[in-house]
Amino acid sequence: MSTWQIRFLSLWRREISRFMKIKKQTLGGPLLETFLYISVFGAALGSRIKELHGIEYIVFVIPGLIMMAFATNAFSNNSSSILQQKFLGAIHDQLSSPASPRELLLAFSLGGFVRGLIVATLTFIVAIVLTNLTVDHVLVLLPSIFLVGFFFANLGVLIGVRAEQFDDVAFAQTFILQPLIFLGGVFYSAALLPEPFETLTKFNPVYYMISLVRYGFVGFTEVNIPLALAALTAATAALFLLNLRLFQRGYKLRS
Amino acid sequence: MPAPALEIVDLQKRYPNGVEALRGVSIGIQPGDFFGLLGPNGAGKSTLIHCTTGLAQPTGGEIRVFGHDAISDYGEARAAVGLAPQEVNLDQFLTCEETLEFHGGYFGMRKRDRKERAAELLETFSLTAKARERTRALSGGMKRRLILARALMHRPRLLILDEPTAGVDIELRLELWHYVQKINAEGVTILLTTHYLEEADQLCGRIAFIADGQIAAQGTSEDLAARYDVVNLEDAYLALVGRRELSRSHVDGGVTA
């Protein structure tokens, strides 16, 4: 193993070790939350809304819940981890090491990505057991869900780097991320909304992410899949490059 | 002739708020030196250290660590430096053992080497019994020891100690003195900042005074005393900060007169 590989794996393992040490909060809590969503929307609403576009309501909702679990966990892990380390000064240990900006960024990004992946995978397993969820288009699902995870992991890095207090992270999560996800069609189909809400939904980038993941699972979509996948790839690459530029400049990391 | 352990030429650092923390600092530290950097709070000591270790970005000048440019060849430069910072900046999620092992990993050390080196340092700093405890459970003195162990983990050739004995008890201070003298004798170059003048006087072969972002004087304690026309390092320092009236010889003289 080369020196840079050892450096990168150590940085990455440290990120994973952080959330694994507080599993109840970082894995248990989000799993319970997702289980409650499945219960409420499956058992309660599902008994009244039998189907959407010919798909059992709970099965229609679950892809969005899986995506939401991946996105919010990847985001909150990275934003909290970076801010916490900046706050304690512990990040100086990594920043004064020979690790390059790219190694640092990838390690931080993939820490949250792994946490999101674990929660999303466990949610998927529960859903497979409890509902009639299927995977119709695995070749769309896998790149879509991984890109979504990596996008939000990098968004978490961006917010963590920019943040100066915990309030900044909470603000981004509560007032930007959650509204975008909830209004992006996790629990409903945009086609069923009255105007102008149907059109407004189409300006929400999360709508396209949910549509991609839903198409991967149940084969239903309201968007152009190749175009949405290309746009998601471009947005993820652009965000990664923006973060890389910030790490290279030491923006709010090095004085 | 070997490259200097640390060569700083005309270093400048201006923060975005306009504060000029360093205004053309130049110092040279030879391999094996025990070099002291003294100055009042806000003089620029920590900024100089941060620029050397990559935690701050200089706005001008050059820094070379064993011949490696700290900006363009930062990988080699940082690999040669161990930093024990002034503030306790341990990761509270990690155990003592993990703190050292992860640090070793950041510097590219292989697993077996990391394990062995961490065990050796935990033993040296009397932390073996605390190896599996999280850092937040340590006492203040233990945290200081762990910070020094972490700085030494990757076997740096230049060790930077930024006020390592601030707030520690006498026993630990003497313990740290003995240890850093030992590793200096083994060839590790040391840059020490401290507010304890007797510490600098006893440990450092050469000392630089920094004030207002500039090097005011440098040399041995005797050179500095001579430079300010006083009898010892403490009085030279008081002359630097414009407080000659606080000199103990002056006060003693005043009392007995």
Side-chain angles (χ1 to χ4, degrees), chain A residues 1 14 21 93 249 254-255, chain B residues 54 57 91 98 103 110:
Chain A
M1 199 182 285
R14 188 252 160 231
K21 287 191 175 186
D93 199 29
R249 282 177 49 202
R254 305 178 197 272
S255 56
Chain B
Q57 295 166 319
D91 188 331
E98 288 170 335
H103 178 90
R110 294 189 178 277

Side-chain angles (χ1 to χ4, degrees), chain A residues 80-91 164-166:
Chain A
S80 305
S81 177
I82 292 176
L83 179 60
Q84 203 163 40
Q85 289 186 74
K86 279 188 353 182
F87 204 66
L88 295 170
I91 202 165
E164 283 169 6
Q165 50 191 350
F166 287 98

